[in-house]
Amino acid sequence: MAFDKTDSDIAQAIFTVNRHAKTAPDNQYLYALKKEALVLMITQKRAEKIGLHFSKNPRKSQQQSSVLVKCGNYYFHMLPKKEDFECLEHLGQLDETYRNPPSRMNLKTAKDILSNFTGLRPQKKETAASQSTKSYKPRPIDRFYTPKKSYFD
């Protein structure tokens, strides 16, 4: 199947997925879509790594860097690899005044675009109801015996 989406369509889909992933309760699939799409865009030379930024919220109060990637009219951050520190320029602090252009794409459309582009599909989760199938067994009733030891049981 031929994939006919432009770089700006894919970048807008990545932006939408990334925005929703920040507040989603189960965000692993969304972040995996973002990462795979960016890696694929970089390998196809449709996106480029610009440089390194210091992270806004570093883990365990350690200074961390992230890779700034330009894809279409959008900029994204992703985790750096070891070779990124050797070949990319460090840009210093993140520019808080810059914002990506506004986007009007719903999450379902964005996920469809990225899953068709990357081939990544969500894993099916088994429901808890199908795992625990208990059948009802009525207790034997004996009108002269009760398992309660006192009135408060």
Side-chain angles (χ1 to χ4, degrees):
M1 177 176 122
F3 190 77
D4 60 346
K5 294 295 180 185
T6 64
D7 293 350
S8 60
D9 289 340
I10 296 171
Q12 188 177 8
I14 295 171
F15 176 77
T16 302
V17 164
N18 189 42
R19 184 181 57 206
H20 284 277
K22 293 176 191 228
T23 57
D26 186 21
N27 57 11
Q28 290 180 344
Y29 174 64
L30 297 177
Y31 278 126
L33 265 180
K34 173 195 170 189
K35 179 185 173 194
E36 288 299 317
L38 283 175
V39 167
L40 196 56
M41 292 286 282
I42 290 168
T43 56
Q44 293 178 355
K45 306 276 190 228
R46 296 168 76 179
E48 63 175 321
K49 293 181 180 181
I50 303 296
L52 295 164
H53 267 158
F54 286 125
S55 292
K56 189 172 152 186
N57 298 318
R59 289 187 213 153
K60 300 179 184 174
S61 297
Q62 300 275 331
Q63 187 62 57
Q64 265 189 322
S65 294
S66 56
V67 177
L68 180 66
V69 178
K70 183 179 189 324
C71 181
N73 294 330
Y74 294 87
Y75 290 92
F76 303 102
H77 285 102
M78 57 188 291
L79 292 176
K81 296 180 181 171
K82 194 171 191 176
E83 59 267 11
D84 291 334
F85 288 102
E86 298 166 2
C87 64
L88 291 176
E89 176 188 355
H90 208 293
L91 304 172
Q93 294 294 328
L94 179 69
D95 183 11
E96 295 288 335
T97 60
Y98 178 79
R99 293 285 180 240
N100 279 323
S103 171
R104 295 267 184 221
M105 182 183 286
N106 66 31
L107 181 60
K108 183 180 181 338
T109 306
K111 287 194 316 190
D112 288 344
I113 290 172
L114 294 183
S115 64
N116 288 336
F117 179 61
T118 62
L120 198 63
R121 303 281 180 237
Q123 294 178 347
K124 301 283 184 190
K125 291 187 178 181
E126 294 181 21
T127 59
S130 65
Q131 291 176 351
S132 60
T133 55
K134 294 182 178 179
S135 60
Y136 174 72
K137 295 180 184 175
R139 293 191 313 188
I141 299 175
D142 184 0
R143 57 184 229 185
F144 297 111
Y145 172 75
T146 178
K148 295 182 179 178
K149 295 191 178 6
S150 73
Y151 176 78
F152 298 107
D153 284 343

